[in-house]
Amino acid sequence: MEGFGMGRVAGKVAVVSGAARGQGRAHAVKLAAEGADIIAVDLCEDIETNSYPLARPEDLDETARLVEKEGQRAHTAIADVRDRVGLAAAIDAGVSELGGLHIVVANAGIAPLTAGLPMQAWVDAVDVDLIGVMNLVHASLKHLEAGASVIATGSLAAYLASMQGRSVGDVDAPGGAGYSFAKQVVAHYINDLAIQLAPRFIRANAVHPTNVNTHLLQNDGIYSVFRPDMTAPISIIICMWREPRSRARTRLLPSSSPPISSRHRVDPDSL
């Protein structure tokens, strides 16, 4: 992001969930490049109903290496966003090591969109994509002071679907329906959270990405949504996407100084 300005979050500490790879890693590295120390959190193991493999501990280690390459400190923690107690302990340890918390990036998510999955796929999608967002935010609130910011990752597809009164999934794809529901509620949650945080001078914004070139997009479960007539392994080309690093700017903007306003639903392609 040449010319965008360096050091916009210098001296701050950011917690990023889903930080081991994909968008989460891109956000962590971009924030580090702009001067923030990073608490990088990830599950680092698979969830049974999710059709593609999730990150591993070595991926989280690589995120830490890239953050440190930018000259910033990294505190890593293998933690499940569905477990608020464990997540809070991980955040508390990072805050103790790094000296504070100023930016919360609730990014962890799954997309179990494969048709024919059990109802547990709905539960898992909601627990990670909605409850996980709330858990990260709520476990962080006690550390946040005036000037802090909260950024949640939504979904442009789910957001547009909600405006049209429909869901990304259907009764044969409970994971997709759970994903859509979770992302829609995240938008409402952030809107109302921002109202509560405003008197405390803490911002809250949601970012709704389009297709991003990560494992969440590039997998057979997603491909089957486009080509339900084909069986895995499916070889198709999704020809419109953005790279994770290009989405990182949208998490920097709401967290930087001078601050932008709160309660925004940001379409990254409008930036």
Side-chain angles (χ1 to χ4, degrees), residues 48-52 110-119 121-122 125 168-179 216 219-226 228 230-232 234:
E48 185 175 355
T49 61
N50 203 57
S51 60
Y52 55 93
I110 60 171
L113 302 191
T114 304
L117 291 174
M119 191 62 195
W122 161 278
V168 171
D170 56 30
V171 293
D172 190 44
Y179 173 88
L216 189 146
N219 67 82
D220 284 343
I222 294 292
Y223 299 160
S224 68
V225 173
F226 294 93
M230 299 180 67
T231 56
I234 304 169

PDB file of all heavy atoms in Angstrom, residues 48-52 110-119 121-122 125 168-179 216 219-226 228 230-232 234:
ATOM      1  N   GLU A  48     -14.979 -30.833  12.175  1.00  0.00           N
ATOM      2  CA  GLU A  48     -15.416 -31.994  11.405  1.00  0.00           C
ATOM      3  C   GLU A  48     -16.359 -31.647  10.256  1.00  0.00           C
ATOM      4  O   GLU A  48     -16.241 -32.211   9.159  1.00  0.00           O
ATOM      5  CB  GLU A  48     -16.089 -33.009  12.333  1.00  0.00           C
ATOM      6  CG  GLU A  48     -16.462 -34.307  11.639  1.00  0.00           C
ATOM      7  CD  GLU A  48     -17.016 -35.339  12.598  1.00  0.00           C
ATOM      8  OE1 GLU A  48     -17.019 -35.081  13.820  1.00  0.00           O
ATOM      9  OE2 GLU A  48     -17.443 -36.418  12.132  1.00  0.00           O
ATOM     10  N   THR A  49     -17.296 -30.740  10.459  1.00  0.00           N
ATOM     11  CA  THR A  49     -18.271 -30.447   9.403  1.00  0.00           C
ATOM     12  C   THR A  49     -17.731 -29.517   8.329  1.00  0.00           C
ATOM     13  O   THR A  49     -18.378 -29.323   7.298  1.00  0.00           O
ATOM     14  CB  THR A  49     -19.543 -29.813   9.995  1.00  0.00           C
ATOM     15  OG1 THR A  49     -19.194 -28.571  10.646  1.00  0.00           O
ATOM     16  CG2 THR A  49     -20.222 -30.741  10.984  1.00  0.00           C
ATOM     17  N   ASN A  50     -16.568 -28.929   8.564  1.00  0.00           N
ATOM     18  CA  ASN A  50     -15.986 -28.022   7.574  1.00  0.00           C
ATOM     19  C   ASN A  50     -15.256 -28.846   6.516  1.00  0.00           C
ATOM     20  O   ASN A  50     -14.404 -29.662   6.836  1.00  0.00           O
ATOM     21  CB  ASN A  50     -15.013 -27.060   8.263  1.00  0.00           C
ATOM     22  CG  ASN A  50     -14.801 -25.789   7.479  1.00  0.00           C
ATOM     23  OD1 ASN A  50     -15.759 -25.084   7.175  1.00  0.00           O
ATOM     24  ND2 ASN A  50     -13.567 -25.500   7.137  1.00  0.00           N
ATOM     25  N   SER A  51     -15.560 -28.591   5.247  1.00  0.00           N
ATOM     26  CA  SER A  51     -15.108 -29.502   4.189  1.00  0.00           C
ATOM     27  C   SER A  51     -13.664 -29.298   3.762  1.00  0.00           C
ATOM     28  O   SER A  51     -13.138 -30.087   2.988  1.00  0.00           O
ATOM     29  CB  SER A  51     -16.021 -29.352   2.959  1.00  0.00           C
ATOM     30  OG  SER A  51     -15.978 -28.019   2.470  1.00  0.00           O
ATOM     31  N   TYR A  52     -13.002 -28.272   4.242  1.00  0.00           N
ATOM     32  CA  TYR A  52     -11.605 -28.027   3.868  1.00  0.00           C
ATOM     33  C   TYR A  52     -10.751 -27.968   5.143  1.00  0.00           C
ATOM     34  O   TYR A  52     -11.236 -27.605   6.215  1.00  0.00           O
ATOM     35  CB  TYR A  52     -11.466 -26.714   3.078  1.00  0.00           C
ATOM     36  CG  TYR A  52     -12.039 -25.513   3.788  1.00  0.00           C
ATOM     37  CD1 TYR A  52     -11.240 -24.712   4.600  1.00  0.00           C
ATOM     38  CD2 TYR A  52     -13.379 -25.168   3.652  1.00  0.00           C
ATOM     39  CE1 TYR A  52     -11.757 -23.613   5.260  1.00  0.00           C
ATOM     40  CE2 TYR A  52     -13.910 -24.064   4.306  1.00  0.00           C
ATOM     41  CZ  TYR A  52     -13.100 -23.300   5.106  1.00  0.00           C
ATOM     42  OH  TYR A  52     -13.626 -22.209   5.770  1.00  0.00           O
ATOM     43  N   ILE A 110     -15.510 -19.942   9.359  1.00  0.00           N
ATOM     44  CA  ILE A 110     -15.558 -21.132   8.529  1.00  0.00           C
ATOM     45  C   ILE A 110     -16.746 -21.010   7.584  1.00  0.00           C
ATOM     46  O   ILE A 110     -17.665 -20.219   7.820  1.00  0.00           O
ATOM     47  CB  ILE A 110     -15.672 -22.426   9.363  1.00  0.00           C
ATOM     48  CG1 ILE A 110     -16.944 -22.410  10.226  1.00  0.00           C
ATOM     49  CG2 ILE A 110     -14.435 -22.620  10.219  1.00  0.00           C
ATOM     50  CD1 ILE A 110     -17.234 -23.739  10.920  1.00  0.00           C
ATOM     51  N   ALA A 111     -16.722 -21.810   6.521  1.00  0.00           N
ATOM     52  CA  ALA A 111     -17.817 -21.801   5.547  1.00  0.00           C
ATOM     53  C   ALA A 111     -18.119 -23.234   5.128  1.00  0.00           C
ATOM     54  O   ALA A 111     -17.727 -23.677   4.050  1.00  0.00           O
ATOM     55  CB  ALA A 111     -17.462 -20.945   4.336  1.00  0.00           C
ATOM     56  N   PRO A 112     -18.844 -23.992   5.971  1.00  0.00           N
ATOM     57  CA  PRO A 112     -19.171 -25.380   5.636  1.00  0.00           C
ATOM     58  C   PRO A 112     -20.370 -25.450   4.687  1.00  0.00           C
ATOM     59  O   PRO A 112     -21.471 -25.843   5.074  1.00  0.00           O
ATOM     60  CB  PRO A 112     -19.480 -25.988   7.008  1.00  0.00           C
ATOM     61  CG  PRO A 112     -20.016 -24.851   7.810  1.00  0.00           C
ATOM     62  CD  PRO A 112     -19.317 -23.615   7.308  1.00  0.00           C
ATOM     63  N   LEU A 113     -20.150 -25.097   3.441  1.00  0.00           N
ATOM     64  CA  LEU A 113     -21.252 -24.916   2.495  1.00  0.00           C
ATOM     65  C   LEU A 113     -21.656 -26.187   1.755  1.00  0.00           C
ATOM     66  O   LEU A 113     -22.630 -26.174   1.004  1.00  0.00           O
ATOM     67  CB  LEU A 113     -20.882 -23.840   1.466  1.00  0.00           C
ATOM     68  CG  LEU A 113     -20.522 -22.447   2.009  1.00  0.00           C
ATOM     69  CD1 LEU A 113     -20.447 -21.452   0.866  1.00  0.00           C
ATOM     70  CD2 LEU A 113     -21.516 -21.980   3.056  1.00  0.00           C
ATOM     71  N   THR A 114     -20.936 -27.274   1.925  1.00  0.00           N
ATOM     72  CA  THR A 114     -21.247 -28.499   1.204  1.00  0.00           C
ATOM     73  C   THR A 114     -22.675 -28.958   1.489  1.00  0.00           C
ATOM     74  O   THR A 114     -23.119 -28.969   2.644  1.00  0.00           O
ATOM     75  CB  THR A 114     -20.270 -29.613   1.595  1.00  0.00           C
ATOM     76  OG1 THR A 114     -18.934 -29.160   1.365  1.00  0.00           O
ATOM     77  CG2 THR A 114     -20.511 -30.872   0.780  1.00  0.00           C
ATOM     78  N   ALA A 115     -23.397 -29.324   0.437  1.00  0.00           N
ATOM     79  CA  ALA A 115     -24.767 -29.824   0.599  1.00  0.00           C
ATOM     80  C   ALA A 115     -24.755 -31.183   1.283  1.00  0.00           C
ATOM     81  O   ALA A 115     -23.801 -31.956   1.179  1.00  0.00           O
ATOM     82  CB  ALA A 115     -25.454 -29.920  -0.759  1.00  0.00           C
ATOM     83  N   GLY A 116     -25.834 -31.475   2.011  1.00  0.00           N
ATOM     84  CA  GLY A 116     -25.997 -32.777   2.621  1.00  0.00           C
ATOM     85  C   GLY A 116     -25.322 -32.959   3.959  1.00  0.00           C
ATOM     86  O   GLY A 116     -25.311 -34.075   4.493  1.00  0.00           O
ATOM     87  N   LEU A 117     -24.757 -31.903   4.527  1.00  0.00           N
ATOM     88  CA  LEU A 117     -24.112 -32.012   5.830  1.00  0.00           C
ATOM     89  C   LEU A 117     -25.170 -32.123   6.929  1.00  0.00           C
ATOM     90  O   LEU A 117     -26.311 -31.691   6.767  1.00  0.00           O
ATOM     91  CB  LEU A 117     -23.224 -30.791   6.083  1.00  0.00           C
ATOM     92  CG  LEU A 117     -21.969 -30.668   5.228  1.00  0.00           C
ATOM     93  CD1 LEU A 117     -21.284 -29.324   5.492  1.00  0.00           C
ATOM     94  CD2 LEU A 117     -20.998 -31.818   5.497  1.00  0.00           C
ATOM     95  N   PRO A 118     -24.804 -32.676   8.091  1.00  0.00           N
ATOM     96  CA  PRO A 118     -25.753 -32.755   9.206  1.00  0.00           C
ATOM     97  C   PRO A 118     -26.015 -31.384   9.809  1.00  0.00           C
ATOM     98  O   PRO A 118     -25.330 -30.401   9.513  1.00  0.00           O
ATOM     99  CB  PRO A 118     -25.035 -33.665  10.197  1.00  0.00           C
ATOM    100  CG  PRO A 118     -23.583 -33.466   9.905  1.00  0.00           C
ATOM    101  CD  PRO A 118     -23.497 -33.283   8.424  1.00  0.00           C
ATOM    102  N   MET A 119     -27.002 -31.348  10.692  1.00  0.00           N
ATOM    103  CA  MET A 119     -27.371 -30.095  11.339  1.00  0.00           C
ATOM    104  C   MET A 119     -26.211 -29.498  12.142  1.00  0.00           C
ATOM    105  O   MET A 119     -26.167 -28.289  12.379  1.00  0.00           O
ATOM    106  CB  MET A 119     -28.577 -30.329  12.251  1.00  0.00           C
ATOM    107  CG  MET A 119     -29.209 -29.056  12.773  1.00  0.00           C
ATOM    108  SD  MET A 119     -29.859 -28.029  11.429  1.00  0.00           S
ATOM    109  CE  MET A 119     -30.106 -26.488  12.299  1.00  0.00           C
ATOM    110  N   ALA A 121     -23.452 -28.812  11.122  1.00  0.00           N
ATOM    111  CA  ALA A 121     -22.798 -27.796  10.284  1.00  0.00           C
ATOM    112  C   ALA A 121     -23.379 -26.420  10.566  1.00  0.00           C
ATOM    113  O   ALA A 121     -22.651 -25.420  10.565  1.00  0.00           O
ATOM    114  CB  ALA A 121     -22.935 -28.157   8.806  1.00  0.00           C
ATOM    115  N   TRP A 122     -24.690 -26.342  10.779  1.00  0.00           N
ATOM    116  CA  TRP A 122     -25.327 -25.069  11.166  1.00  0.00           C
ATOM    117  C   TRP A 122     -24.755 -24.597  12.500  1.00  0.00           C
ATOM    118  O   TRP A 122     -24.368 -23.435  12.651  1.00  0.00           O
ATOM    119  CB  TRP A 122     -26.845 -25.254  11.265  1.00  0.00           C
ATOM    120  CG  TRP A 122     -27.564 -24.205  12.063  1.00  0.00           C
ATOM    121  CD1 TRP A 122     -27.682 -24.161  13.421  1.00  0.00           C
ATOM    122  CD2 TRP A 122     -28.240 -23.033  11.573  1.00  0.00           C
ATOM    123  NE1 TRP A 122     -28.403 -23.049  13.810  1.00  0.00           N
ATOM    124  CE2 TRP A 122     -28.752 -22.346  12.709  1.00  0.00           C
ATOM    125  CE3 TRP A 122     -28.469 -22.521  10.314  1.00  0.00           C
ATOM    126  CZ2 TRP A 122     -29.478 -21.177  12.585  1.00  0.00           C
ATOM    127  CZ3 TRP A 122     -29.200 -21.339  10.204  1.00  0.00           C
ATOM    128  CH2 TRP A 122     -29.686 -20.678  11.313  1.00  0.00           C
ATOM    129  N   ALA A 125     -21.083 -23.410  12.149  1.00  0.00           N
ATOM    130  CA  ALA A 125     -20.975 -22.131  11.449  1.00  0.00           C
ATOM    131  C   ALA A 125     -21.397 -20.974  12.345  1.00  0.00           C
ATOM    132  O   ALA A 125     -20.723 -19.942  12.408  1.00  0.00           O
ATOM    133  CB  ALA A 125     -21.817 -22.148  10.172  1.00  0.00           C
ATOM    134  N   VAL A 168     -27.679 -17.631   2.011  1.00  0.00           N
ATOM    135  CA  VAL A 168     -26.675 -18.241   1.152  1.00  0.00           C
ATOM    136  C   VAL A 168     -26.932 -19.734   1.018  1.00  0.00           C
ATOM    137  O   VAL A 168     -26.764 -20.329  -0.040  1.00  0.00           O
ATOM    138  CB  VAL A 168     -25.260 -17.991   1.716  1.00  0.00           C
ATOM    139  CG1 VAL A 168     -24.217 -18.807   0.971  1.00  0.00           C
ATOM    140  CG2 VAL A 168     -24.925 -16.502   1.618  1.00  0.00           C
ATOM    141  N   GLY A 169     -27.363 -20.398   2.084  1.00  0.00           N
ATOM    142  CA  GLY A 169     -27.636 -21.826   2.071  1.00  0.00           C
ATOM    143  C   GLY A 169     -29.122 -22.117   2.034  1.00  0.00           C
ATOM    144  O   GLY A 169     -29.953 -21.219   1.965  1.00  0.00           O
ATOM    145  N   ASP A 170     -29.489 -23.410   2.086  1.00  0.00           N
ATOM    146  CA  ASP A 170     -30.882 -23.804   2.135  1.00  0.00           C
ATOM    147  C   ASP A 170     -31.017 -25.001   3.052  1.00  0.00           C
ATOM    148  O   ASP A 170     -30.092 -25.353   3.777  1.00  0.00           O
ATOM    149  CB  ASP A 170     -31.418 -24.104   0.722  1.00  0.00           C
ATOM    150  CG  ASP A 170     -30.591 -25.159  -0.005  1.00  0.00           C
ATOM    151  OD1 ASP A 170     -30.013 -26.031   0.686  1.00  0.00           O
ATOM    152  OD2 ASP A 170     -30.521 -25.109  -1.249  1.00  0.00           O
ATOM    153  N   VAL A 171     -32.200 -25.654   3.040  1.00  0.00           N
ATOM    154  CA  VAL A 171     -32.441 -26.742   3.986  1.00  0.00           C
ATOM    155  C   VAL A 171     -31.521 -27.931   3.734  1.00  0.00           C
ATOM    156  O   VAL A 171     -31.299 -28.750   4.625  1.00  0.00           O
ATOM    157  CB  VAL A 171     -33.914 -27.191   3.928  1.00  0.00           C
ATOM    158  CG1 VAL A 171     -34.812 -26.085   4.446  1.00  0.00           C
ATOM    159  CG2 VAL A 171     -34.323 -27.596   2.509  1.00  0.00           C
ATOM    160  N   ASP A 172     -30.987 -28.060   2.516  1.00  0.00           N
ATOM    161  CA  ASP A 172     -30.068 -29.146   2.210  1.00  0.00           C
ATOM    162  C   ASP A 172     -28.617 -28.761   2.500  1.00  0.00           C
ATOM    163  O   ASP A 172     -27.724 -29.581   2.358  1.00  0.00           O
ATOM    164  CB  ASP A 172     -30.214 -29.569   0.741  1.00  0.00           C
ATOM    165  CG  ASP A 172     -29.454 -30.859   0.444  1.00  0.00           C
ATOM    166  OD1 ASP A 172     -29.547 -31.782   1.269  1.00  0.00           O
ATOM    167  OD2 ASP A 172     -28.768 -30.926  -0.593  1.00  0.00           O
ATOM    168  N   ALA A 173     -28.385 -27.508   2.858  1.00  0.00           N
ATOM    169  CA  ALA A 173     -27.035 -27.028   3.154  1.00  0.00           C
ATOM    170  C   ALA A 173     -27.068 -26.215   4.442  1.00  0.00           C
ATOM    171  O   ALA A 173     -26.949 -24.986   4.422  1.00  0.00           O
ATOM    172  CB  ALA A 173     -26.496 -26.186   2.002  1.00  0.00           C
ATOM    173  N   PRO A 174     -27.249 -26.894   5.578  1.00  0.00           N
ATOM    174  CA  PRO A 174     -27.389 -26.157   6.841  1.00  0.00           C
ATOM    175  C   PRO A 174     -26.172 -25.326   7.196  1.00  0.00           C
ATOM    176  O   PRO A 174     -26.288 -24.289   7.840  1.00  0.00           O
ATOM    177  CB  PRO A 174     -27.651 -27.259   7.872  1.00  0.00           C
ATOM    178  CG  PRO A 174     -27.118 -28.509   7.247  1.00  0.00           C
ATOM    179  CD  PRO A 174     -27.347 -28.346   5.780  1.00  0.00           C
ATOM    180  N   GLY A 175     -24.965 -25.783   6.780  1.00  0.00           N
ATOM    181  CA  GLY A 175     -23.770 -24.989   7.064  1.00  0.00           C
ATOM    182  C   GLY A 175     -23.793 -23.661   6.351  1.00  0.00           C
ATOM    183  O   GLY A 175     -23.426 -22.628   6.911  1.00  0.00           O
ATOM    184  N   GLY A 176     -24.230 -23.667   5.093  1.00  0.00           N
ATOM    185  CA  GLY A 176     -24.346 -22.418   4.341  1.00  0.00           C
ATOM    186  C   GLY A 176     -25.382 -21.496   4.935  1.00  0.00           C
ATOM    187  O   GLY A 176     -25.186 -20.283   5.018  1.00  0.00           O
ATOM    188  N   ALA A 177     -26.506 -22.070   5.362  1.00  0.00           N
ATOM    189  CA  ALA A 177     -27.542 -21.259   5.993  1.00  0.00           C
ATOM    190  C   ALA A 177     -27.046 -20.682   7.312  1.00  0.00           C
ATOM    191  O   ALA A 177     -27.323 -19.526   7.656  1.00  0.00           O
ATOM    192  CB  ALA A 177     -28.799 -22.101   6.219  1.00  0.00           C
ATOM    193  N   GLY A 178     -26.274 -21.496   8.071  1.00  0.00           N
ATOM    194  CA  GLY A 178     -25.716 -21.000   9.322  1.00  0.00           C
ATOM    195  C   GLY A 178     -24.703 -19.899   9.090  1.00  0.00           C
ATOM    196  O   GLY A 178     -24.652 -18.911   9.836  1.00  0.00           O
ATOM    197  N   TYR A 179     -23.879 -20.054   8.061  1.00  0.00           N
ATOM    198  CA  TYR A 179     -22.910 -19.019   7.687  1.00  0.00           C
ATOM    199  C   TYR A 179     -23.628 -17.717   7.364  1.00  0.00           C
ATOM    200  O   TYR A 179     -23.257 -16.638   7.854  1.00  0.00           O
ATOM    201  CB  TYR A 179     -22.094 -19.507   6.484  1.00  0.00           C
ATOM    202  CG  TYR A 179     -21.166 -18.480   5.882  1.00  0.00           C
ATOM    203  CD1 TYR A 179     -19.871 -18.312   6.363  1.00  0.00           C
ATOM    204  CD2 TYR A 179     -21.587 -17.661   4.828  1.00  0.00           C
ATOM    205  CE1 TYR A 179     -19.017 -17.371   5.807  1.00  0.00           C
ATOM    206  CE2 TYR A 179     -20.739 -16.722   4.271  1.00  0.00           C
ATOM    207  CZ  TYR A 179     -19.462 -16.575   4.761  1.00  0.00           C
ATOM    208  OH  TYR A 179     -18.624 -15.634   4.206  1.00  0.00           O
ATOM    209  N   LEU A 216     -10.953 -20.678   2.411  1.00  0.00           N
ATOM    210  CA  LEU A 216     -12.394 -20.601   2.601  1.00  0.00           C
ATOM    211  C   LEU A 216     -13.124 -20.513   1.263  1.00  0.00           C
ATOM    212  O   LEU A 216     -14.246 -21.009   1.129  1.00  0.00           O
ATOM    213  CB  LEU A 216     -12.741 -19.395   3.483  1.00  0.00           C
ATOM    214  CG  LEU A 216     -14.176 -19.261   3.964  1.00  0.00           C
ATOM    215  CD1 LEU A 216     -14.212 -18.643   5.366  1.00  0.00           C
ATOM    216  CD2 LEU A 216     -15.017 -18.407   3.023  1.00  0.00           C
ATOM    217  N   ASN A 219     -12.108 -24.313  -2.338  1.00  0.00           N
ATOM    218  CA  ASN A 219     -12.279 -25.678  -1.854  1.00  0.00           C
ATOM    219  C   ASN A 219     -13.491 -26.309  -2.537  1.00  0.00           C
ATOM    220  O   ASN A 219     -14.343 -25.617  -3.082  1.00  0.00           O
ATOM    221  CB  ASN A 219     -12.421 -25.704  -0.328  1.00  0.00           C
ATOM    222  CG  ASN A 219     -13.692 -25.047   0.155  1.00  0.00           C
ATOM    223  OD1 ASN A 219     -14.759 -25.655   0.150  1.00  0.00           O
ATOM    224  ND2 ASN A 219     -13.594 -23.790   0.594  1.00  0.00           N
ATOM    225  N   ASP A 220     -13.570 -27.631  -2.480  1.00  0.00           N
ATOM    226  CA  ASP A 220     -14.625 -28.348  -3.190  1.00  0.00           C
ATOM    227  C   ASP A 220     -16.021 -27.992  -2.701  1.00  0.00           C
ATOM    228  O   ASP A 220     -16.988 -28.026  -3.468  1.00  0.00           O
ATOM    229  CB  ASP A 220     -14.407 -29.859  -3.071  1.00  0.00           C
ATOM    230  CG  ASP A 220     -13.294 -30.359  -3.986  1.00  0.00           C
ATOM    231  OD1 ASP A 220     -12.921 -29.619  -4.916  1.00  0.00           O
ATOM    232  OD2 ASP A 220     -12.794 -31.478  -3.755  1.00  0.00           O
ATOM    233  N   GLY A 221     -16.150 -27.684  -1.404  1.00  0.00           N
ATOM    234  CA  GLY A 221     -17.464 -27.312  -0.890  1.00  0.00           C
ATOM    235  C   GLY A 221     -18.013 -26.072  -1.566  1.00  0.00           C
ATOM    236  O   GLY A 221     -19.196 -26.012  -1.925  1.00  0.00           O
ATOM    237  N   ILE A 222     -17.163 -25.059  -1.724  1.00  0.00           N
ATOM    238  CA  ILE A 222     -17.583 -23.841  -2.422  1.00  0.00           C
ATOM    239  C   ILE A 222     -17.823 -24.136  -3.898  1.00  0.00           C
ATOM    240  O   ILE A 222     -18.811 -23.684  -4.486  1.00  0.00           O
ATOM    241  CB  ILE A 222     -16.517 -22.739  -2.274  1.00  0.00           C
ATOM    242  CG1 ILE A 222     -16.411 -22.289  -0.813  1.00  0.00           C
ATOM    243  CG2 ILE A 222     -16.836 -21.546  -3.171  1.00  0.00           C
ATOM    244  CD1 ILE A 222     -17.620 -21.553  -0.300  1.00  0.00           C
ATOM    245  N   TYR A 223     -16.917 -24.909  -4.498  1.00  0.00           N
ATOM    246  CA  TYR A 223     -17.086 -25.222  -5.919  1.00  0.00           C
ATOM    247  C   TYR A 223     -18.424 -25.913  -6.178  1.00  0.00           C
ATOM    248  O   TYR A 223     -19.070 -25.685  -7.196  1.00  0.00           O
ATOM    249  CB  TYR A 223     -15.949 -26.125  -6.409  1.00  0.00           C
ATOM    250  CG  TYR A 223     -14.566 -25.536  -6.299  1.00  0.00           C
ATOM    251  CD1 TYR A 223     -13.446 -26.357  -6.305  1.00  0.00           C
ATOM    252  CD2 TYR A 223     -14.365 -24.155  -6.189  1.00  0.00           C
ATOM    253  CE1 TYR A 223     -12.161 -25.833  -6.203  1.00  0.00           C
ATOM    254  CE2 TYR A 223     -13.096 -23.629  -6.084  1.00  0.00           C
ATOM    255  CZ  TYR A 223     -11.988 -24.467  -6.083  1.00  0.00           C
ATOM    256  OH  TYR A 223     -10.727 -23.944  -5.975  1.00  0.00           O
ATOM    257  N   SER A 224     -18.853 -26.777  -5.236  1.00  0.00           N
ATOM    258  CA  SER A 224     -20.100 -27.505  -5.432  1.00  0.00           C
ATOM    259  C   SER A 224     -21.320 -26.595  -5.397  1.00  0.00           C
ATOM    260  O   SER A 224     -22.376 -26.942  -5.919  1.00  0.00           O
ATOM    261  CB  SER A 224     -20.243 -28.604  -4.372  1.00  0.00           C
ATOM    262  OG  SER A 224     -20.428 -28.050  -3.078  1.00  0.00           O
ATOM    263  N   VAL A 225     -21.175 -25.417  -4.760  1.00  0.00           N
ATOM    264  CA  VAL A 225     -22.268 -24.447  -4.782  1.00  0.00           C
ATOM    265  C   VAL A 225     -22.488 -23.944  -6.212  1.00  0.00           C
ATOM    266  O   VAL A 225     -23.622 -23.743  -6.655  1.00  0.00           O
ATOM    267  CB  VAL A 225     -21.960 -23.267  -3.832  1.00  0.00           C
ATOM    268  CG1 VAL A 225     -22.999 -22.162  -3.972  1.00  0.00           C
ATOM    269  CG2 VAL A 225     -21.893 -23.760  -2.388  1.00  0.00           C
ATOM    270  N   PHE A 226     -21.371 -23.755  -6.938  1.00  0.00           N
ATOM    271  CA  PHE A 226     -21.455 -23.278  -8.316  1.00  0.00           C
ATOM    272  C   PHE A 226     -21.762 -24.403  -9.301  1.00  0.00           C
ATOM    273  O   PHE A 226     -22.417 -24.178 -10.317  1.00  0.00           O
ATOM    274  CB  PHE A 226     -20.130 -22.601  -8.712  1.00  0.00           C
ATOM    275  CG  PHE A 226     -19.850 -21.340  -7.954  1.00  0.00           C
ATOM    276  CD1 PHE A 226     -19.086 -21.369  -6.798  1.00  0.00           C
ATOM    277  CD2 PHE A 226     -20.357 -20.120  -8.373  1.00  0.00           C
ATOM    278  CE1 PHE A 226     -18.828 -20.207  -6.083  1.00  0.00           C
ATOM    279  CE2 PHE A 226     -20.108 -18.963  -7.675  1.00  0.00           C
ATOM    280  CZ  PHE A 226     -19.340 -19.002  -6.530  1.00  0.00           C
ATOM    281  N   PRO A 228     -23.271 -27.894  -8.658  1.00  0.00           N
ATOM    282  CA  PRO A 228     -23.830 -29.001  -7.875  1.00  0.00           C
ATOM    283  C   PRO A 228     -23.981 -30.287  -8.678  1.00  0.00           C
ATOM    284  O   PRO A 228     -24.183 -31.364  -8.105  1.00  0.00           O
ATOM    285  CB  PRO A 228     -25.189 -28.459  -7.427  1.00  0.00           C
ATOM    286  CG  PRO A 228     -25.529 -27.405  -8.432  1.00  0.00           C
ATOM    287  CD  PRO A 228     -24.221 -26.787  -8.820  1.00  0.00           C
ATOM    288  N   MET A 230     -21.617 -31.672 -10.305  1.00  0.00           N
ATOM    289  CA  MET A 230     -20.330 -32.360 -10.340  1.00  0.00           C
ATOM    290  C   MET A 230     -19.991 -32.916  -8.960  1.00  0.00           C
ATOM    291  O   MET A 230     -20.424 -32.402  -7.934  1.00  0.00           O
ATOM    292  CB  MET A 230     -19.229 -31.409 -10.810  1.00  0.00           C
ATOM    293  CG  MET A 230     -19.450 -30.861 -12.215  1.00  0.00           C
ATOM    294  SD  MET A 230     -18.118 -29.738 -12.723  1.00  0.00           S
ATOM    295  CE  MET A 230     -16.740 -30.871 -12.836  1.00  0.00           C
ATOM    296  N   THR A 231     -19.208 -33.985  -8.936  1.00  0.00           N
ATOM    297  CA  THR A 231     -18.766 -34.566  -7.677  1.00  0.00           C
ATOM    298  C   THR A 231     -17.293 -34.253  -7.460  1.00  0.00           C
ATOM    299  O   THR A 231     -16.534 -34.055  -8.403  1.00  0.00           O
ATOM    300  CB  THR A 231     -18.959 -36.089  -7.676  1.00  0.00           C
ATOM    301  OG1 THR A 231     -18.266 -36.665  -8.790  1.00  0.00           O
ATOM    302  CG2 THR A 231     -20.440 -36.440  -7.781  1.00  0.00           C
ATOM    303  N   ALA A 232     -16.889 -34.233  -6.199  1.00  0.00           N
ATOM    304  CA  ALA A 232     -15.500 -33.904  -5.855  1.00  0.00           C
ATOM    305  C   ALA A 232     -14.560 -35.012  -6.325  1.00  0.00           C
ATOM    306  O   ALA A 232     -14.944 -36.173  -6.363  1.00  0.00           O
ATOM    307  CB  ALA A 232     -15.378 -33.700  -4.353  1.00  0.00           C
ATOM    308  N   ILE A 234     -13.566 -31.319  -7.666  1.00  0.00           N
ATOM    309  CA  ILE A 234     -14.085 -30.454  -8.721  1.00  0.00           C
ATOM    310  C   ILE A 234     -12.996 -29.489  -9.136  1.00  0.00           C
ATOM    311  O   ILE A 234     -12.339 -28.875  -8.285  1.00  0.00           O
ATOM    312  CB  ILE A 234     -15.323 -29.685  -8.229  1.00  0.00           C
ATOM    313  CG1 ILE A 234     -16.393 -30.659  -7.730  1.00  0.00           C
ATOM    314  CG2 ILE A 234     -15.889 -28.810  -9.341  1.00  0.00           C
ATOM    315  CD1 ILE A 234     -17.526 -29.988  -6.990  1.00  0.00           C
TER     316      ILE A 234
END
